[in-house]
């Protein structure tokens, strides 16, 4: 039987290193996601503004983020900041900035569509009961918005976890990079390690993202009833 | 003579600078009075009701509650709306709250009343309109008629001085219309002050102390129901009432 190189995984602390690398990816995604959710809610509310200029600015921001590949944004922030602003930020911080920039736009658009999906009369019936604006948002609109948002927000989180692998290109040692190091280090003893190592990375990503999407489905169900 | 609760003078409203939807409306309602507003669709009757609650911004004119001009600043408006109940065509119960939570929300949050007292009153009112056993259900589990009765209770528990009913049976199946209108009739009997927009002419006849006929943003007729439905003064009112009689249409 052909050697699949799977034993490389158990040499030294290779597997622990892979897990640590995975944690770097997930941590980056989680931090960016927390910022994205907070800023995204703000952006979403701003995007429902009646002011056309405000809406236009938000629209332009959203389009820029959508058109620009995240990789270009990463290079722009990481190398651009060093070259032109003279700021030497770490790859991870550049990653957080870029993924927050991206996530905020995506999240903002999700929040916006969830907000406008709440019928106008929901606001009106709440107002006519004497609730003030803050109470209407906190008690009536946001709970309904979150319900609508949950599936797509979790989807965004899994997308973000996957996309963070790009930071490997600005020198952050995350799971894919660790995998590459392991493969390179064992090139002579185990020339076939690539398949099994990348296979394991695939399974690791699956192990992280699958429970998250299951969790979202369960939460959605619970909130419905 | 009973005191005037709500008074409107020269209320004018237009949408986006177009022609006036409401043109210098003068109107008042006394304590315990039931006024029904009728008119063909697009005549401005719903807009009129919405203006009274400032859900629509008015262009000019004044609205007075108990003789006092309404302060429409963001801070003062909720205080005023608290005293004006409103029920909508599409019920608009809050879908993420149970029936009881829907009813108890505003008294607790806005009026800061005692929870036990509010709960007791909510249950009493729900029982009165025949939906006591639904109190822990969510709005989507209720029929349209039940939802609308809950929506009425949700307004009533605030002890409003005036209740505005905006075509509250227009979205209901015919057999459910009656159960909702029955509740309104009982309220009228108890002396609730109400301003009602409806297309149910028989109901209007039964419940109204006074009928207002609105056409093209103006009050064309204003009189007791016997007169309005019996011998309307204007041609426009006659034509409007005729649309409810099919034989009359065929005669033409």
């Amino acid at each position: 039987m052909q050697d699949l190189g799977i034993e490389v995984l158990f040499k030294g602390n290779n597997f622990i290193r892979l897990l640590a690398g995975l944690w770097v990816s997930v941590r980056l995604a989680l931090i960016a996601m927390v910022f994205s959710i907070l800023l995204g809610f703000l952006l979403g509310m701003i995007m429902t503004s009646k002011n056309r200029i405000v809406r236009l600015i938000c629209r332009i921001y959203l389009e820029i983020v959508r058109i620009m590949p995240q990789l270009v944004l990463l290079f722009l922030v990481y190398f651009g900041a060093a070259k032109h602003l003279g700021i030497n930020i770490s790859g991870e911080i550049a990653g957080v900035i870029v993924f927050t920039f991206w996530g905020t736009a995506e999240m903002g658009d999700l929040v916006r569509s969830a907000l406008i999906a709440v019928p106008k009369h929901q606001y009106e019936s709440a107002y006519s009961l004497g609730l003030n604006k803050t109470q209407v948002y906190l008690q009536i609109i946001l709970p309904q918005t979150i319900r609508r948002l949950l599936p797509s927000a979790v989807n965004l989180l899994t997308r973000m976890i996957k996309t963070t692998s790009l930071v490997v290109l600005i020198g952050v040692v995350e799971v894919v990079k660790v995998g590459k190091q392991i493969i390179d280090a064992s090139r002579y003893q185990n020339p076939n390690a690539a398949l099994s190592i990348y296979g394991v990375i695939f399974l690791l990503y699956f192990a992280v993202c699958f429970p998250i999407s299951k969790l979202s489905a369960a939460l959605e169900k619970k909130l419905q009833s | 003579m009973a005191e005037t609760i709500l008074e409107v003078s020269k209320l004018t409203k237009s949408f986006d600078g177009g022609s006036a939807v409401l043109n210098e409306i003068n109107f008042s309602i006394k304590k315990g009075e039931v006024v029904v507003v009728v008119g063909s669709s697009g005549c401005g009757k719903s807009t009129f009701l919405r203006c009274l609650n400032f859900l629509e911004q008015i262009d000019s004119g004044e609205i007075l509650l108990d003789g006092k001009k309404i302060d429409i600043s963001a801070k003062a408006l909720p205080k005023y709306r608290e005293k004006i109940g409103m029920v909508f065509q599409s019920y608009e119960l809050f879908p993420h709250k149970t029936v009881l939570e829907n009813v108890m929300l505003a008294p607790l949050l806005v009026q800061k009343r005692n929870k036990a007292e509010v709960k007791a009153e909510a249950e009493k009112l729900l029982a009165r309109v025949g939906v006591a056993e639904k109190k822990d259900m969510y709005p989507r589990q209720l029929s349209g008629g039940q939802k609308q009765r809950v929506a009425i209770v949700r307004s009533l528990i605030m002890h409003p001085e005036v209740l505005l009913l905006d075509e509250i049976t227009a979205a209901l199946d015919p057999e459910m219309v009656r159960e909702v209108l029955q509740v309104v009739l009982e309220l009228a009997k108890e002396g609730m002050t109400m301003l009602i927009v409806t297309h149910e002419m028989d109901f209007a006849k039964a419940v109204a102390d006074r009928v207002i006929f609105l056409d093209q943003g103006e009050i064309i007729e204003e009189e007791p129901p016997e007169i309005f439905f019996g011998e309307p003064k204007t041609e426009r009112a006659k034509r409007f009432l005729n649309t409810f009689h099919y034989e009359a249409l065929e005669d033409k």
Side-chain angles (χ1 to χ4, degrees):
Chain A
M1 194 185 121
Q2 202 193 357
D3 173 26
L4 287 175
I6 192 79
E7 68 274 11
V8 175
L9 199 59
F10 303 105
K11 266 194 197 137
N13 51 7
N14 279 355
F15 191 64
I16 303 294
R17 283 176 61 205
L18 270 183
L19 285 182
L22 183 70
W23 172 238
V24 171
S25 305
V26 172
R27 187 182 56 195
L28 187 61
L30 286 178
I31 294 171
M33 197 64 196
V34 168
F35 284 125
S36 297
I37 287 172
L38 295 176
L39 296 173
F41 263 95
L42 214 61
L43 180 71
M45 284 180 174
I46 295 171
M47 283 169 102
T48 59
S49 153
K50 288 194 185 78
N51 189 324
R52 291 173 69 174
I53 296 164
V54 171
R55 284 208 313 264
L56 183 74
I57 293 170
C58 294
R59 201 73 229 166
I60 292 171
Y61 164 49
L62 188 63
E63 290 307 322
I64 287 175
V65 173
R66 291 218 167 130
I67 291 166
M68 256 306 217
Q70 285 96 2
L71 185 59
V72 178
L73 279 174
L74 271 178
F75 283 168
L76 204 66
V77 171
Y78 186 62
F79 298 114
K83 177 92 178 149
H84 297 288
L85 303 175
I87 309 167
N88 198 0
I89 50 174
S90 74
E92 267 189 80
I93 290 185
V96 169
I97 292 172
V98 166
F99 292 120
T100 302
F101 185 73
W102 168 56
T104 301
E106 295 279 350
M107 192 70 197
D109 201 36
L110 294 175
V111 171
R112 181 195 61 86
S113 58
L115 280 177
I116 57 172
V118 176
K120 189 174 121 222
H121 277 106
Q122 284 282 308
Y123 292 84
E124 291 182 344
S125 66
Y127 280 131
S128 64
L129 285 168
L131 274 67
N132 64 35
K133 211 166 175 173
T134 318
Q135 290 167 333
V136 170
Y137 265 96
L138 289 181
Q139 295 286 331
I140 310 302
I141 306 305
L142 285 182
Q144 294 186 52
T145 309
I146 289 166
R147 235 155 273 234
R148 284 167 213 258
L149 263 182
L150 210 63
S152 39
V154 172
N155 183 22
L156 180 62
L157 175 64
T158 51
R159 269 163 69 206
M160 199 169 276
I161 290 173
K162 288 180 288 185
T163 317
T164 50
S165 60
L166 287 175
V167 292
V168 76
L169 293 161
I170 54 170
V172 178
V173 182
E174 45 71 83
V175 63
V176 178
K177 181 75 184 171
V178 173
K180 186 132 182 23
Q181 287 170 349
I182 293 171
I183 294 162
D184 286 344
S186 54
R187 177 79 63 204
Y188 293 108
Q189 305 93 308
N190 291 82
N192 295 326
L195 180 67
S196 60
I197 294 293
Y198 285 133
V200 167
I201 290 173
F202 164 80
L203 290 175
L204 286 177
Y205 271 114
F206 180 79
V208 172
C209 292
F210 185 68
I212 292 175
S213 59
K214 277 282 149 212
L215 180 74
S216 116
L219 274 176
E220 204 188 339
K221 218 170 166 187
K222 196 175 163 222
L223 284 169
Q224 296 275 313
S225 57
Chain B
M1 201 68 198
E3 62 198 292
T4 299
I5 291 189
L6 201 62
E7 205 176 340
V8 175
S9 69
K10 293 194 170 173
L11 186 148
T12 299
K13 161 85 193 165
S14 58
F15 287 110
D16 299 326
S19 61
V21 182
L22 296 171
N23 195 10
E24 302 217 335
I25 301 273
N26 292 306
F27 165 82
S28 69
I29 187 166
K30 293 190 181 68
K31 193 169 172 52
E33 203 180 9
V34 176
V35 177
V36 172
V37 184
V38 298
S40 46
S41 49
C43 72
K45 53 193 192 309
S46 275
T47 310
F48 175 52
L49 232 59
R50 293 163 56 79
C51 282
L52 293 182
N53 213 354
F54 294 97
L55 292 174
E56 301 286 352
Q57 229 174 350
I58 62 174
D59 297 344
S60 63
E62 278 189 347
I63 298 176
L64 295 96
L65 180 70
D66 299 322
K68 283 192 282 286
K69 190 175 184 299
I70 308 309
D71 174 5
I72 56 165
S73 67
K75 236 184 129 162
L77 208 46
K79 272 273 155 253
Y80 165 74
R81 284 178 171 149
E82 215 185 296
K83 297 178 193 144
I84 309 284
M86 183 150 183
V87 183
F88 298 83
Q89 175 181 339
S90 46
Y91 340 117
E92 298 305 331
L93 297 177
F94 306 128
H96 57 297
K97 292 182 183 292
T98 64
V99 165
L100 201 57
E101 285 166 353
N102 262 280
V103 174
M104 290 171 65
L105 176 76
L108 295 180
L109 205 65
V110 177
Q111 296 177 325
K112 315 267 186 248
R113 277 154 65 185
N114 173 280
K115 193 169 177 184
E117 175 251 326
V118 170
K119 188 157 188 270
E121 187 181 357
E123 283 171 346
K124 201 181 88 196
L125 287 172
L126 287 171
R128 233 189 68 184
V129 301
V131 288
E133 74 284 8
K134 308 279 181 195
K135 68 183 165 95
D136 294 317
M137 290 192 183
Y138 284 88
R140 64 171 181 283
Q141 297 166 288
L142 271 56
S143 74
Q146 290 166 339
K147 278 188 226 178
Q148 197 58 292
R149 283 181 279 162
V150 172
I152 292 172
V153 166
R154 188 175 65 174
S155 283
L156 280 181
I157 198 165
M158 297 295 283
H159 308 142
E161 294 187 30
V162 185
L163 202 54
L164 310 175
L165 307 179
D166 187 7
E167 299 193 30
I168 60 167
T169 57
L172 293 175
D173 291 337
E175 68 266 32
M176 287 173 184
V177 170
R178 194 168 189 94
E179 64 188 40
V180 171
L181 294 185
Q182 199 62 43
V183 170
V184 179
L185 278 169
E186 276 164 34
L187 287 174
K189 236 181 268 168
E190 286 166 23
M192 185 80 209
T193 315
M194 288 185 281
L195 183 57
I196 303 172
V197 168
T198 186
H199 286 295
E200 303 282 335
M201 290 304 140
D202 291 333
F203 168 67
K205 229 179 277 183
V207 79
D209 294 318
R210 179 155 50 109
V211 176
I212 286 179
F213 176 59
L214 211 59
D215 194 39
Q216 295 176 346
E218 285 174 35
I219 294 180
I220 304 293
E221 293 203 28
E222 183 170 4
E223 57 225 350
E226 311 82 64
I227 297 182
F228 180 76
F229 292 106
E231 39 200 303
K233 293 191 202 98
T234 61
E235 199 50 45
R236 277 194 267 180
K238 274 180 204 153
R239 224 176 319 144
F240 169 73
L241 287 171
N242 268 344
T243 57
F244 292 91
H245 300 289
Y246 294 99
E247 313 82 24
L249 272 179
E250 281 164 14
D251 284 345
K252 276 191 179 168

